[in-house]
Amino acid sequence: MMREHQFTINEQTYTLRFTFNAIVELEENLKMPITKLVSEDNFGIKEMRAILWAGLRSRHKLSLEEVGNLIDDYDGTLEELLSKAIELITKALKV
């Protein structure tokens, strides 16, 4: 079962990977339980950036602002990337 997703921005490869600690950091950053977040139909921009930040942290030490800058340069759809992130979170939690 694949627990990572790679994507490229400006010829650099990034890896989304949701460890247990990354999920805890995401909850702390957003001040909401992950179960509420993954059950929501819509995310705000703040939540989108935080989800990607948490998923990138295990492989890339980026700040929230740096992740926002990456999103600006991403050529794919943000919806597609977030869908993959939620899928990975669900697999990490085995829910």
Side-chain angles (χ1 to χ4, degrees), residues 11-75:
E11 299 180 14
Q12 184 169 346
T13 300
Y14 294 90
T15 302
L16 281 176
R17 182 172 182 262
F18 287 90
T19 63
F20 191 79
N21 285 331
I23 294 169
V24 170
E25 287 184 34
L26 178 59
E27 284 188 334
E28 289 174 349
N29 181 275
L30 294 177
K31 296 175 181 37
M32 74 170 61
I34 194 67
T35 51
K36 179 176 178 5
L37 184 66
V38 298
S39 67
E40 295 288 319
D41 287 340
N42 297 307
F43 304 112
I45 297 299
K46 175 181 154 185
E47 290 83 11
M48 290 177 191
R49 182 180 72 166
I51 290 167
L52 296 174
W53 167 79
L56 290 166
R57 289 196 40 84
S58 70
R59 303 277 190 212
H60 315 277
K61 301 305 179 204
L62 300 169
S63 69
L64 282 164
E65 291 78 18
E66 290 169 323
V67 171
N69 291 335
L70 285 178
I71 293 168
D72 288 339
D73 292 338
Y74 183 58
D75 287 334

